[in-house]
Amino acid sequence: MYTILITPKYQPVVERDIKGEDIVILRPSILSEYIYNHLNRFDEVSFDEIHGLIEQNKGKDISRLVSSITLNKFSISA
């Protein structure tokens, strides 16, 4: 079990507060971009990739990691 804190902004101290906890931060714009691209291409969304990132990065902001997956998977060069 874990918690996903979805927030557009946060103070840097928040990352220190969640370090070592079963919590990750994810910016809503990054999550919506991920969902939009999946629905646009596949008509459904699998959160297996995000789940894997969460399991490996608890206590951190995973926004950049999710953004990288989205760009690699759905960009024109992908």
Side-chain angles (χ1 to χ4, degrees):
M1 305 227 27
Y2 49 76
T3 300
I4 304 171
L5 176 60
I6 299 176
T7 181
K9 290 184 178 182
Y10 61 89
Q11 296 295 320
V13 71
V14 172
E15 285 190 69
R16 186 188 71 207
D17 290 343
I18 69 167
K19 189 174 184 175
E21 300 292 330
D22 293 338
I23 302 170
V24 296
I25 298 170
L26 182 55
R27 291 195 169 95
S29 59
I30 302 296
L31 179 59
S32 65
E33 181 180 51
Y34 179 86
I35 292 170
Y36 172 81
N37 280 288
H38 268 84
L39 292 175
N40 192 38
R41 183 178 258 178
F42 302 120
D43 293 330
E44 62 182 34
V45 179
S46 170
F47 292 99
D48 291 340
E49 291 170 313
I50 291 178
H51 174 73
L53 288 176
I54 291 168
E55 289 294 334
Q56 296 172 4
N57 294 283
K58 289 180 180 175
K60 299 177 183 175
D61 183 338
I62 63 165
S63 299
R64 288 186 182 165
L65 298 171
V66 173
S67 181
S68 291
I69 287 175
T70 303
L71 288 172
N72 289 333
K73 197 169 187 176
F74 299 107
S75 68
I76 292 173
S77 62

